[in-house]
Amino acid sequence: MTTETRSLVDDRTAFQRLLPVHHLILSHLSRLAPTTYLLLSRYHHDQLVRSLYSSITPDLSTLHGLTYPSPRNQRTLNALSQTITLIVSPQSSWALLRATKGIHPFSKAHKELFRNVQNIHLTWKALYARISGTPPPVNGLQIENNLWFHVKNPIKHLIIDIESLGSDSALFNSFLSTQFYWEIQVMMKSFKPTSTTWRYLIHKEDINSWGLDTYIEVPARIWCDGMDGLRKVTTVFFPKRPTLNNPGHCDGSSDYRIKVTQIVDQLVELVNEKMKKRALGNEIIQAGDRGGNSSIRKFEDLPRWTLEVEGADGRVVESRVLMRLDHGRYDFVPS
C-alpha cells in the first residue's frame, strides 16, 4: 500500500468528496446485489422491486408475505403487481391456493395479484406432472383455475418447455403426446395468448432416441387449429448447456444439428399432412355450403410460424419461417 493510498483511506473526508456521485455508486451497487439494498430507502425499494419481481415462480416463499394481515402484506401485494412473467412450477397452484387463503372461486382474500402479468412460462416439470397423471394436493386445483382470478386475459405470450422422457416406447410416448395436446389446449383456451414459444431442450441422450420427436406433433396441431387470437408461433431448439455439476451436454456439434434436422423434417411432413386434410375439409364444407362460405381459415390467416435453432452459447444460429411454396407444399425457409 502506497503512502498516497494510505492517506486516502485514513482521511475521514474521503467519502464526503465523493458526495456528488454517491447516488451513482449506490445505484451501481444495488444492481449488483439488489436484495442487500432493497431496504436501504423507499426509493431503492420501489426501483429494485420492479427488477426482482418482474419474473417470479409462485411458491410458498415468494407468496409468504400474503399470509400476514393487512397492512403488513401491502409490500408483497405491491411487489406482485410488478410481475410481468410468471414461471409455473409443479408447486405453484398449491402455493397460490394456500397463500390466498381460499378455495377457488368462493373465498379469496386477494384478487388480481398479478394484474400486470403479460407472459406465462410453463416449465416441463409442471407439464409432465399433469400429463403423467400426478394428482394435485388435497383441495388443489390446476394452475389455470387459480390464475384466472389473478391474471387478466388475454396474455401476450405463453412459453412452453419440452424435454424428452428418454423412452423409445412408441406406445408410451404416443399416449403422453395425446395427454400433452389436451393439456396445452386447455392452457391456450384459458390464457388466450397472442403468441406462443415452444422450447425444445435436446439432451445428449436424445441424439439416438425418438422420445422427443413424438411431442413435435402438438405445436403442429395447435397451429393448424387456428385458435382465436393466436398471431405468432415460435419453435426453438437448443442444446443442454454445460454446468460445473454436469459438464456433459449436447453442444452445437454435427450430431446435434443432424438431430434437429430430423425433427424439423418430421415437423414439415406433419404440417403438410394436416394442411392437406384441412384443404380437403374446406372443400367438403364449401361443397355443402350454398353461399360458398367456409369456416376454415386459409394459410394466410393462420399464425406466423418461426423456427429458431440455438447453439451451445445461446445465440440463434439458424432462423426459418413457415411458407407455402409454389408447388403447394409447406416448408420452413430461411428468414
Side-chain angles (χ1 to χ4, degrees), residues 49-284:
V49 157
R50 296 177 186 176
S51 174
L52 291 172
Y53 280 81
S54 64
S55 177
I56 69 166
T57 299
D59 54 30
L60 294 179
S61 176
T62 56
L63 302 178
H64 178 69
L66 297 177
T67 62
Y68 294 115
S70 181
R72 293 178 61 193
N73 59 12
Q74 193 58 47
R75 280 193 170 183
T76 300
L77 291 171
N78 292 338
L80 296 178
S81 69
Q82 304 293 328
T83 301
I84 303 298
T85 300
L86 280 181
I87 303 174
V88 179
S89 74
Q91 294 77 35
S92 292
S93 185
W94 171 237
L96 184 61
L97 183 68
R98 181 176 177 181
T100 52
K101 304 176 183 177
I103 303 300
H104 160 84
F106 307 106
S107 173
K108 287 288 181 181
H110 309 291
K111 298 179 181 180
E112 294 187 355
L113 293 177
F114 310 107
R115 62 177 65 95
N116 290 314
V117 161
Q118 299 177 10
N119 314 310
I120 294 180
H121 187 162
L122 305 175
T123 63
W124 175 242
K125 288 183 178 180
L127 287 170
Y128 182 67
R130 294 182 62 148
I131 66 177
S132 63
T134 303
V138 178
N139 291 332
L141 292 159
Q142 300 292 13
I143 190 65
E144 68 273 10
N145 294 328
N146 276 322
L147 282 182
W148 79 266
F149 208 75
H150 300 290
V151 174
K152 294 181 179 179
N153 290 335
I155 64 171
K156 287 187 176 181
H157 198 190
L158 181 66
I159 306 168
I160 304 160
D161 287 345
I162 303 176
E163 294 186 37
S164 170
L165 298 175
S167 172
D168 289 321
S169 170
L171 180 62
F172 179 69
N173 287 329
S174 178
F175 168 75
L176 289 185
S177 177
T178 301
Q179 292 295 109
F180 184 45
Y181 168 74
W182 290 115
E183 293 295 346
I184 291 298
Q185 194 177 52
V186 168
M187 296 283 190
M188 298 285 291
K189 291 181 178 179
S190 298
F191 299 131
K192 300 178 175 62
T194 57
S195 66
T196 60
T197 295
W198 306 75
R199 293 183 54 81
Y200 285 83
L201 171 61
I202 300 181
H203 293 265
K204 190 174 183 179
E205 308 83 60
D206 295 325
I207 297 298
N208 297 315
S209 170
W210 291 96
L212 183 68
D213 305 51
T214 310
Y215 296 98
I216 202 66
E217 182 181 5
V218 178
R221 293 178 66 181
I222 294 292
W223 172 81
C224 198
D225 288 345
M227 291 190 172
D228 292 337
L230 186 61
R231 296 291 177 264
K232 182 180 179 181
V233 174
T234 304
T235 300
V236 180
F237 298 99
F238 64 100
K240 185 176 179 62
R241 322 288 188 210
T243 62
L244 292 177
N245 296 329
N246 186 13
H249 65 287
C250 175
D251 58 18
S253 64
S254 59
D255 287 340
Y256 164 65
R257 299 300 296 272
I258 291 173
K259 183 62 176 180
V260 171
T261 300
Q262 291 174 346
I263 298 176
V264 173
D265 289 344
Q266 182 186 5
L267 179 58
V268 169
E269 292 304 316
L270 283 168
V271 169
N272 280 282
E273 178 184 347
K274 293 185 180 300
M275 291 303 290
K276 186 176 181 180
K277 292 181 179 179
R278 187 185 183 91
L280 179 60
N282 198 15
E283 292 176 0
I284 294 174

Side-chain angles (χ1 to χ4, degrees), residues 275 278 282 286 295-303 330:
M275 291 303 290
R278 187 185 183 91
N282 198 15
Q286 286 181 341
S295 60
I296 299 181
R297 292 188 289 176
K298 298 179 180 179
F299 170 73
E300 292 76 10
D301 299 325
L302 291 172
Y330 300 87

